[in-house]
Amino acid sequence: MRMFKSNLSKNEFLNGNSEYNKKYLSQLKSEYEKFKEETLPRLTISELKIFSQTGERLLYERKYFKRRAMLRDFALVYWLYGDKEALLKLEKTMFEICRELTWVLPAHLGDDIYNETIDLFACETAQTLAEIISLLGEDLSDETVKRCKHEIEKRVINPFLNRTKPYNWENMNGNWCAVCGGCIGMTALYLIENDALLSKVISDIKCVIDRYISSFADDGACLEGLYYWNYGMMYFTAFIDLYQHRMGHEFLTDKEKIQKIAGFASECCIGDGFTVSFSDGYERDKIYLGLMCKLNDLFGTRIAEYEYTAEFEGDECGRWCKAVRDIAWTKDKKNHIKQTNVFFPDAQWAIIRKNNMKAAVKGGTNAEPHNHNDIGSIIIIKDGEMVLCDLGAGEYTSDYFSDNRYSVFCTRSEGHSVPIINGCEQKAGESFRCNQFACSENRVSAEISGAYGIKELKSCIRTLICEDNKIVIHDEFAFEGGFEVTERFITRCEAVRCENTVKIMSHGVCKAEMSTDNNCNIEISFQPHREHDGRETRITIIDFKCQAKDEYNFLVKIS
């Protein structure tokens, strides 16, 4: 089986003189020097089984992803510099990955560790090996190339061709469609020489890719969060680029909608290095610069400022596709435009900026991809400090993706800056939604009563007003009879109560004050929280507890 030759080029990046290029290559070389002295982590069956026994993922996954990072680094260093030691280590690593019991992560295997499922990471592994031998095949031994092709066919291509029913990701909405579909499509474009067989694979993949695009609303927002936009769009864009290179024509899909989707990432940059972290997002997420440059070439979309660009370091999964395209696609060009207010009407997200104050507000539903019960959630930044936060993604465990999901602090509404009414949190499900969402120059208004499923709650209108040097949050309740409302606010900062004012502190310095004229009891407490990478942190909870009857207005000023 012959290989189709990749069109990825290193020349422009190596000849470039930007600080980004220099830092990127310096980080790669530094990590390579470390990795070449280390032994490839060993994956054991006992560690593979830990997830099914305890629900814990990180022990096995850290070793699994380090192996991919070592594969990536050895391949990149040889491709860029012709380092012979890197080539030797690359071939050894490729053989070791071919010997793995499975390329699928334990969380996606189910009870049978020998089943022939195909998940995100099996697909990524196949695409990585196929692309490496496409780029470097002339310099790899025949044995290495033959073994890699055999394992790719056995583990991914043949199961996909011979499936008797669709894989679950073929009917999903979101990043799985783009990653699995894009990887299988690219692997087929590299490996399959027979036109009829290739046409069959691409025909099936087109349905998956079209489903990915249709999973976005018309405003282009990614409800899974910016991290998953990065993930899905990287593999989608890599696939359509390789498809055009091999087939000689564009991959037909909805270009007008893709242009809106392509612009989503830069719109999520709130300011001061912070990004929108709704759903399973991150507060300081980074965007792939190579991807942004390619989308700018294709659709003219804006490239985010440098502080938002992902460097070489920081990819916990060691992804080859991202790193090699950072090199092949990055161009030293500027397309920065001063950020203005952003409103996604379908997703019901709004970002408002006023001098030193910035805010993001979410409406939506409580049945979104990577859903959190978070209707009305707010993020507030003052003078470069995130004083109220949305925690975003927690540690991924079996509970996190099970019926126990909303026992996790960061996914339930108690872990967001939203009201608790008569002790009730928001509920999960499609019917629990924001009924109205409006945005003007400095004001966002959301009717969030539908999130609670409380029949006596007639309305709950949350309004955020962003002014010079202050933000006002105004909640208006209409209720049948008496009720209690806890106005909850979440921060990573410390908090100190001073009568009807709460000082939000960072490193002993007051960064903001929350003040209210309402007659309420203010309580400050702390909650342990496990971050996505498994670190345990402490979150500060600020509760304004109020008693009310029939109609009630709560107003807090943050300045």
Side-chain angles (χ1 to χ4, degrees):
M1 182 185 291
R2 294 185 298 179
M3 293 289 296
F4 181 74
K5 189 66 177 174
S6 171
N7 64 330
L8 298 175
S9 172
K10 59 190 176 183
N11 298 332
E12 185 170 347
F13 196 90
L14 286 177
N15 294 330
N17 199 36
S18 74
E19 289 303 313
Y20 175 84
N21 293 30
K22 293 176 184 177
K23 190 172 184 179
Y24 202 91
L25 294 173
S26 174
Q27 290 177 351
L28 166 61
K29 291 174 185 176
S30 176
E31 189 171 90
Y32 166 71
E33 290 298 326
K34 180 185 70 172
F35 279 168
K36 75 178 185 179
E37 302 300 325
E38 297 183 12
T39 302
L40 201 69
R42 182 168 169 259
L43 300 177
T44 66
I45 293 180
S46 61
E47 291 169 346
L48 184 69
K49 292 180 177 179
I50 286 175
F51 176 79
S52 63
Q53 296 165 349
T54 70
E56 196 274 332
R57 295 173 57 152
L58 291 179
L59 176 64
Y60 182 88
E61 288 185 8
R62 282 174 177 150
K63 291 184 177 182
Y64 177 101
F65 291 132
K66 186 172 182 180
R67 289 164 71 95
R68 269 65 184 167
M70 295 172 84
L71 172 71
R72 174 199 63 192
D73 289 10
F74 298 150
L76 286 176
V77 168
Y78 182 70
W79 181 53
L80 292 169
Y81 305 112
D83 185 304
K84 296 298 184 183
E85 185 177 5
L87 180 62
L88 292 173
K89 297 213 171 268
L90 171 62
E91 293 214 51
K92 181 178 179 181
T93 304
M94 293 172 80
F95 260 102
E96 287 299 316
I97 286 176
C98 286
R99 292 174 59 192
E100 290 175 357
L101 178 64
T102 178
W103 288 348
V104 179
L105 286 191
H108 306 147
L109 271 173
D111 295 331
D112 181 8
I113 64 173
Y114 299 101
N115 76 54
E116 290 190 343
T117 192
I118 302 174
D119 77 336
L120 297 163
F121 301 99
C123 294
E124 284 188 43
T125 302
Q127 186 273 335
T128 297
L129 293 174
E131 194 157 81
I132 288 172
I133 58 179
S134 174
L135 279 175
L136 308 176
E138 298 88 345
D139 299 326
L140 298 168
S141 68
D142 290 342
E143 291 81 5
T144 299
V145 173
K146 184 177 179 180
R147 178 64 186 274
C148 286
K149 288 180 177 178
H150 172 75
E151 295 299 330
I152 291 168
E153 291 171 19
K154 182 180 76 172
R155 297 171 187 253
V156 176
I157 295 295
N158 288 342
F160 182 71
L161 284 170
N162 298 328
R163 68 199 189 286
T164 56
K165 62 180 181 180
Y167 287 102
N168 63 337
W169 48 262
E170 293 184 70
N171 295 316
M172 290 170 66
N173 291 318
N175 70 86
W176 278 70
C177 294
V179 177
C180 295
C183 283
I184 292 174
M186 284 187 278
T187 303
L189 288 165
Y190 281 128
L191 286 180
I192 297 177
E193 185 179 0
N194 181 279
D195 289 341
L197 187 58
L198 178 61
S199 178
K200 178 180 180 352
V201 174
I202 296 300
S203 176
D204 288 350
I205 291 301
K206 186 178 188 307
C207 296
V208 179
I209 295 295
D210 286 346
R211 188 176 185 87
Y212 172 66
I213 297 302
S214 68
S215 71
F216 291 84
D218 289 340
D219 60 15
C222 179
L223 297 180
E224 296 177 290
L226 178 56
Y227 175 87
Y228 287 104
W229 178 94
N230 260 329
Y231 191 22
M233 282 301 286
M234 169 55 71
Y235 286 95
F236 166 80
T237 309
F239 167 67
I240 64 172
D241 180 65
L242 180 61
Y243 177 90
Q244 182 167 334
H245 178 56
R246 172 157 182 186
M247 308 304 286
H249 57 85
E250 290 185 349
F251 184 82
L252 298 178
T253 191
D254 188 342
K255 292 183 69 173
E256 183 177 347
K257 186 173 183 180
I258 295 170
Q259 185 173 21
K260 291 185 178 180
I261 297 168
F264 171 77
S266 60
E267 302 284 14
C268 284
C269 303
I270 305 174
D272 302 302
F274 291 106
T275 52
V276 175
S277 53
F278 299 144
S279 302
D280 277 349
Y282 300 88
E283 294 165 353
R284 289 188 178 271
D285 215 339
K286 301 295 183 180
I287 311 172
Y288 305 157
L289 183 54
L291 174 60
M292 283 194 290
C293 289
K294 173 61 75 170
L295 293 174
N296 174 259
D297 287 343
L298 294 173
F299 304 108
T301 49
R302 190 173 71 88
I303 298 173
E305 288 76 7
Y306 178 76
E307 64 183 329
Y308 292 103
T309 58
E311 300 174 348
F312 176 79
E313 295 177 345
D315 178 8
E316 74 279 8
C317 296
R319 291 190 173 96
W320 160 266
C321 184
K322 177 262 181 192
V324 74
R325 283 165 178 80
D326 276 340
I327 293 169
W329 287 353
T330 292
K331 297 181 180 179
D332 187 14
K333 60 181 180 179
K334 302 291 188 295
N335 187 33
H336 307 322
I337 303 170
K338 185 178 180 180
Q339 189 67 285
T340 57
N341 293 345
V342 176
F343 178 41
F344 293 102
D346 296 309
Q348 295 186 334
W349 291 14
I351 303 169
I352 294 182
R353 303 169 179 87
K354 191 80 169 176
N355 296 332
N356 65 326
M357 306 297 294
K358 302 174 181 70
V361 184
K362 181 185 180 299
T365 79
N366 283 339
E368 296 169 348
H370 286 263
N371 183 67
H372 292 205
N373 291 341
D374 59 357
I375 295 170
S377 182
I378 54 179
I379 298 167
I380 294 178
I381 299 163
K382 178 179 182 286
D383 295 325
E385 187 83 31
M386 183 174 282
V387 294
L388 294 182
C389 67
D390 185 295
L391 296 173
E395 181 185 4
Y396 284 3
T397 63
S398 58
D399 277 350
Y400 203 87
F401 294 100
S402 75
D403 292 341
N404 295 324
R405 181 175 182 85
Y406 302 107
S407 66
V408 179
F409 177 69
C410 70
T411 57
R412 63 193 299 179
S413 69
E414 282 192 350
H416 295 82
S417 296
V418 298
I420 300 168
I421 303 170
N422 272 357
C424 295
E425 299 180 57
Q426 295 183 11
K427 295 180 171 59
E430 178 66 30
S431 62
F432 301 101
R433 57 176 53 243
C434 177
N435 298 319
Q436 295 178 342
F437 194 84
C439 182
S440 60
E441 182 180 354
N442 72 329
R443 177 187 298 254
V444 183
S445 180
E447 210 297 302
I448 66 173
S449 63
Y452 292 87
I454 302 173
K455 67 178 182 179
E456 294 86 1
L457 180 62
K458 299 308 177 185
S459 72
C460 177
I461 301 172
R462 164 158 284 191
T463 302
L464 181 143
I465 305 166
C466 189
E467 301 177 348
D468 290 338
N469 303 314
K470 71 177 180 180
I471 285 175
V472 175
I473 299 168
H474 181 199
D475 288 345
E476 303 170 80
F477 299 89
F479 200 91
E480 285 187 2
F483 67 103
E484 178 185 273
V485 60
T486 298
E487 290 282 4
R488 169 156 293 187
F489 299 98
I490 302 293
T491 179
R492 293 186 182 276
C493 299
E494 297 295 320
V496 177
R497 179 186 173 184
C498 303
E499 296 184 351
N500 276 1
T501 297
V502 175
K503 294 180 181 288
I504 298 177
M505 314 287 291
S506 179
H507 304 291
V509 177
C510 181
K511 296 297 183 178
E513 291 188 357
M514 301 181 70
S515 58
T516 180
D517 291 331
N518 288 74
N519 182 21
C520 53
N521 181 31
I522 302 174
E523 295 182 1
I524 296 171
S525 59
F526 305 98
Q527 171 71 36
H529 167 61
R530 294 191 72 86
E531 306 288 350
H532 184 65
D533 61 6
R535 290 178 298 116
E536 186 161 302
T537 54
R538 190 176 79 158
I539 304 304
T540 302
I541 299 171
I542 304 167
D543 285 338
F544 294 79
K545 295 193 171 184
C546 315
Q547 297 287 336
K549 185 176 181 180
D550 298 333
E551 293 182 353
Y552 183 71
N553 289 329
F554 174 83
L555 189 146
V556 64
K557 179 175 70 174
I558 301 169
S559 59

